[in-house]
Amino acid sequence: MAAISPFFLLFLIPIVPLSILAILALIVRPRPIKIPIKSRHVFITGGSSGIGLALAHRAAAEGARVSILARSAGKLEEAKKEIQLATGVEVATFSADVRDYDAVSKAIDESGPIDVLIVNQGVFTAKELVTHSPEDVKFTIDVNLVGSFNVIKAALPAMKARKDRGPASISLVSSQAGQVGVYGYAAYSASKFGLQGLAQALQQEVIADDIHVTLIFPPDTNTPGFEEEQKSRPDVTAIIAASSGSMETEEVARKAMDGIKAGKFTVSCNFEGFLLSLATTGMSPQRSFWLAFLEVITAGPIRLIALFFQWDWYKAIEKWSKTKTK
Amino acid sequence: MAAISSLFLFFILFLVSLLIILAFIVRPRSVKIPIKSRHVFITGGSSGIGLALAHSAVSEGAKVSILARSTENLAEAKRSIQLATGVEVATFSADVRDYDAVSKAVDESGPIDVLIVNQGVFIGKELEKQSPEEVKFMIDVNLVGSFNVIKAALPAMKAREGRGPASISLVSSQAGQAGIYGYTAYSASKFGLQGLAQALQQEVISDDIHVTLLFPPDTDTPGFEEELKKRPELTSIIAASSGSMKTNEVAKICFDGIKAGKFTVTCHFIGFLLSIASTGMSPQGSFWLALIEVMFGGLIRLVSLVFQWQWYKTIEKWSKKKKQVNSKLD
């Protein structure tokens, strides 16, 4: 008896993870899908600068028909010229404020049925809530969250009505601040967390129409918007954000586009981002049973790591506020 | 035999070390929030969960203020509390979307010790069928409105000297932990509260202000009755995974959670499991709960994937049926 037990245990050890893997392979929903880009219509909001512009470059380089939407006609022209120079492709430009549903609707109708929608417009100001004006809080939520609803609502009917054009995609550019609320980012985090709720619910509503939702979580990215923001962000915000580091725009756009094409629900851009995604997967769907397996076996240790980070941050906040009161 | 018992011993040792580590690192540390003789301010306090919370606060000896839009509902609420407890609550009429009106009301009411941001509207509808105005309405009231209330109350809350720990509670929803069919705008507005709460806690901890998120399931309030009539079939099927609760029960559990200074408050067992699944980067002040999060996180992710499987199968079945019905009609 005693001789059999250790061998039996040894045999048992791989059975548990293998069974979990097998179960997951059967149950993960929605099922994986690939989103083609070539010759399809890619529509990018906030496409005249930063990550949006870099995404437009990539889509054009991959043979898509690209439309970009932004507020400033001047910036749109510049972006159009830039993409033409770099890729020889002419993108369509549309000027509208995402807060204006009718203007967005008109632009989207003009551009024609969309296969790959990338909702990327965003504004961000880092400021403690006490010093953040109510107007600016509303502005952040209106552009980042309500604006995203406007764009998606405007595009949905035509997306649903497309026949035999293959799987469609709706991507939302969130932020690591949409996975963890950070000092100074109450309004920005709120607007980006909102995108997660939108995405989870939306995926359930549009899966039957072969439309696939993707959330992209960039870290601090070296865009013109970010340069502006860095000038005025609180010290504590900078300290905490440093936990993840920053990335170049092209790199972020590359990771984002790869994730969109792979039909993933959650797309992270660097290793810390990947860990953060594991920590904050919550009730997100997971279409890959390998990643689902990883989520299940690492959830515990990653929560432990997350708690260590919280310990570190709250100690930093405590230390910093003590120096302030002196 | 020896192998198994030493394995067991090792496991116990592991658990104890983990517990010790967690006891050392969990931040921010939980703080008890006293209620008696303190000023409790509740938005959306004239009906539903808000009114029930006002009753609880009054019965625990607090000075209570309630804010809502309708002066009639406020007067009725005031009467019902007076009848039940003999205590008179202060009432303030304002729309949370109007920062100046909210600010005025909050200033008039005096410095707040326990703020409960509870106003909320919900309309369950597929995004395609929902008007942009309805979407904006939900986000404006539930999310921007919450910012307005908190911003208005913060300066006086920070300036209170020697009045003990203060509390800011936000009434979220299970739809603020999982986005479900028919709730794109509502879930978005409630998920937003999580981002707000996590960031806010970091900003106000040094002022001894403690943030709490409350996650009720479907609760049988007047608002819910209205919503049930119109929400999509699929929404009801999926929400049934969690069941519904009575308003008084929800209010009692929420109030206990606020007093315990927890960051995350759930109302029943499924809600508790959902919180573990969606704990993400929330702070955890209790090292026991932190231990549960770490030990069961994986298993609970597995369980939530099983739920997703069921939901998506239901959606698939239901949409196939719809397509069949539609093609018969053509």
Side-chain angles (χ1 to χ4, degrees):
Chain A
M1 275 299 263
I4 315 173
S5 315
F7 283 112
F8 185 63
L9 279 174
L10 224 59
F11 177 66
L12 218 57
I13 288 172
I15 287 283
V16 173
L18 281 175
S19 329
I20 295 176
L21 197 61
I23 292 171
L24 290 172
L26 281 168
I27 71 170
V28 286
R29 294 286 192 284
R31 298 195 186 287
I33 192 108
K34 294 261 176 283
I35 307 286
I37 297 291
K38 194 175 164 68
S39 307
R40 303 183 91 219
H41 182 202
V42 177
F43 190 102
I44 305 171
T45 63
S48 65
S49 70
I51 295 173
L53 178 56
L55 283 165
H57 271 275
R58 287 211 75 87
E62 299 210 17
R65 170 168 87 87
V66 178
S67 303
I68 57 180
L69 180 139
R71 277 174 300 174
S72 149
K75 283 205 182 145
L76 283 165
E77 264 314 296
E78 259 204 57
K80 181 173 180 157
K81 254 180 261 157
E82 207 191 288
I83 298 175
Q84 182 121 41
L85 272 165
T87 64
V89 173
E90 190 178 316
V91 307
T93 60
F94 299 91
S95 170
D97 187 322
V98 295
R99 293 173 290 170
D100 181 346
Y101 179 75
D102 294 323
V104 169
S105 197
K106 189 161 165 290
I108 284 179
D109 288 341
E110 262 183 65
S111 76
I114 300 167
D115 301 301
V116 178
L117 176 66
I118 304 181
V119 186
N120 158 83
Q121 88 285 346
V123 289
F124 42 88
T125 318
K127 222 177 234 180
E128 289 98 341
L129 185 57
V130 259
T131 35
H132 211 168
S133 74
E135 292 76 30
D136 201 45
V137 169
K138 185 160 165 40
F139 178 59
T140 306
I141 294 171
D142 278 348
V143 172
N144 298 359
L145 188 55
V146 183
S148 300
F149 272 94
N150 286 341
V151 173
I152 294 172
K153 246 203 87 60
L156 262 182
M159 282 183 105
K160 288 189 159 202
R162 311 164 318 124
K163 294 222 175 310
D164 307 321
R165 280 177 60 152
S169 158
I170 296 178
S171 294
L172 293 140
V173 179
S174 177
S175 164
Q176 288 184 351
Q179 298 175 300
V180 51
V182 172
Y183 187 109
Y185 273 150
Y188 185 61
S189 282
S191 72
K192 292 302 193 179
F193 265 74
L195 295 182
Q196 174 80 246
L198 160 53
Q200 287 185 16
L202 183 66
Q203 180 66 90
Q204 293 186 12
E205 289 180 20
V206 300
I207 188 68
D209 295 286
D210 205 13
I211 302 175
H212 307 273
V213 179
T214 295
L215 272 169
I216 301 161
F217 296 99
D220 281 344
T221 309
N222 293 334
T223 63
F226 181 55
E227 267 185 64
E228 261 314 294
E229 192 248 6
Q230 269 199 303
K231 298 175 186 165
S232 53
R233 60 161 40 169
D235 295 329
V236 180
T237 307
I239 295 171
I240 294 176
S243 305
S244 173
S246 72
M247 284 177 75
E248 291 304 316
T249 317
E250 286 69 34
E251 188 57 23
V252 169
R254 191 170 65 82
K255 291 268 160 68
M257 194 55 93
D258 287 346
I260 294 170
K261 292 192 297 183
K264 298 175 147 190
F265 185 83
T266 300
V267 177
S268 51
C269 301
N270 58 9
F271 182 63
E272 293 92 340
F274 178 60
L275 293 182
L276 188 53
S277 291
L278 287 176
T280 57
T281 190
M283 292 298 286
S284 309
Q286 178 53 262
R287 307 178 73 147
S288 148
F289 67 85
W290 286 109
L291 283 177
F293 183 65
L294 203 62
E295 285 175 355
V296 170
I297 58 176
T298 60
I302 290 212
R303 179 55 176 161
L304 185 57
I305 295 173
L307 290 168
F308 267 101
F309 271 96
Q310 302 265 2
W311 176 51
D312 193 40
W313 294 343
Y314 275 93
K315 284 203 313 174
I317 290 168
E318 201 179 339
K319 201 169 78 177
W320 179 86
S321 58
K322 285 210 170 91
T323 61
K324 270 212 77 184
T325 48
K326 285 197 186 121
Chain B
M1 273 302 264
I4 295 177
S5 51
S6 58
L7 212 68
F8 185 64
L9 199 66
F10 175 69
F11 181 64
I12 295 288
L13 223 63
F14 168 73
L15 269 182
V16 171
S17 334
L18 189 56
L19 199 61
I20 293 173
I21 292 172
L22 289 171
F24 190 63
I25 70 170
V26 286
R27 291 288 190 284
R29 299 201 185 284
S30 280
V31 168
K32 296 262 176 283
I33 308 287
I35 298 293
K36 193 173 166 67
S37 307
R38 302 180 93 219
H39 183 201
V40 177
F41 191 103
I42 305 172
T43 64
S46 66
S47 71
I49 295 174
L51 178 56
L53 284 166
H55 273 273
S56 300
V58 161
S59 56
E60 301 215 12
K63 166 171 99 102
V64 176
S65 304
I66 57 179
L67 180 138
R69 276 175 301 174
S70 149
T71 40
E72 284 152 35
N73 288 352
L74 282 165
E76 254 208 65
K78 181 170 180 156
R79 245 175 283 140
S80 98
I81 295 175
Q82 182 120 43
L83 272 166
T85 65
V87 174
E88 192 178 311
V89 305
T91 60
F92 299 91
S93 169
D95 187 321
V96 295
R97 293 173 289 174
D98 181 346
Y99 178 74
D100 293 324
V102 169
S103 198
K104 190 159 165 290
V106 164
D107 287 343
E108 260 184 66
S109 76
I112 299 167
D113 300 300
V114 179
L115 176 66
I116 304 180
V117 186
N118 157 81
Q119 87 287 346
V121 289
F122 40 88
I123 308 163
K125 215 180 260 185
E126 292 94 340
L127 180 58
E128 245 200 307
K129 305 203 178 108
Q130 196 139 59
S131 73
E133 290 77 29
E134 275 180 336
V135 170
K136 191 159 166 36
F137 180 54
M138 274 184 270
I139 294 174
D140 278 347
V141 172
N142 300 355
L143 187 55
V144 182
S146 299
F147 271 95
N148 285 341
V149 173
I150 294 172
K151 251 205 81 63
L154 261 182
M157 283 183 103
K158 289 187 156 206
R160 312 161 319 123
E161 286 295 321
R163 279 176 62 149
S167 158
I168 297 178
S169 294
L170 294 139
V171 178
S172 179
S173 162
Q174 286 185 346
Q177 297 173 301
I180 66 173
Y181 188 105
Y183 273 155
T184 46
Y186 185 61
S187 281
S189 72
K190 293 301 193 179
F191 265 76
L193 295 182
Q194 174 80 242
L196 160 54
Q198 287 186 16
L200 182 66
Q201 180 66 94
Q202 293 183 12
E203 289 179 21
V204 300
I205 187 68
S206 336
D207 296 287
D208 205 11
I209 302 175
H210 306 273
V211 178
T212 296
L213 272 170
L214 306 154
F215 295 99
D218 281 343
T219 308
D220 56 358
T221 63
F224 180 56
E225 269 185 63
E226 264 314 294
E227 199 247 350
L228 257 187
K229 297 176 188 164
K230 311 180 199 140
R231 75 179 181 185
E233 208 190 318
L234 264 180
T235 307
S236 292
I237 297 174
I238 293 174
S241 306
S242 169
S244 73
M245 285 177 74
K246 299 233 160 291
T247 314
N248 291 332
E249 260 191 284
V250 168
K252 180 176 182 314
I253 296 171
C254 287
F255 209 67
D256 288 344
I258 295 171
K259 291 190 295 181
K262 299 174 146 192
F263 186 83
T264 300
V265 176
T266 57
C267 300
H268 58 4
F269 184 62
I270 297 271
F272 175 62
L273 293 182
L274 185 53
S275 291
I276 305 213
S278 55
T279 191
M281 292 297 288
S282 309
Q284 179 51 269
S286 148
F287 58 85
W288 286 109
L289 286 177
L291 183 69
I292 292 181
E293 287 175 354
V294 171
M295 295 300 296
F296 292 100
L299 177 62
I300 291 195
R301 177 55 176 163
L302 184 58
V303 170
S304 59
L305 288 168
V306 172
F307 271 95
Q308 302 263 5
W309 174 51
Q310 285 304 305
W311 294 345
Y312 275 94
K313 281 209 320 180
T314 305
I315 292 168
E316 200 179 341
K317 202 170 73 181
W318 186 88
S319 354
K320 282 210 173 93
K321 231 171 47 182
K322 267 204 80 187
K323 288 208 171 94
Q324 277 175 2
V325 171
N326 285 344
S327 59
K328 284 206 183 104
L329 292 172
D330 285 339

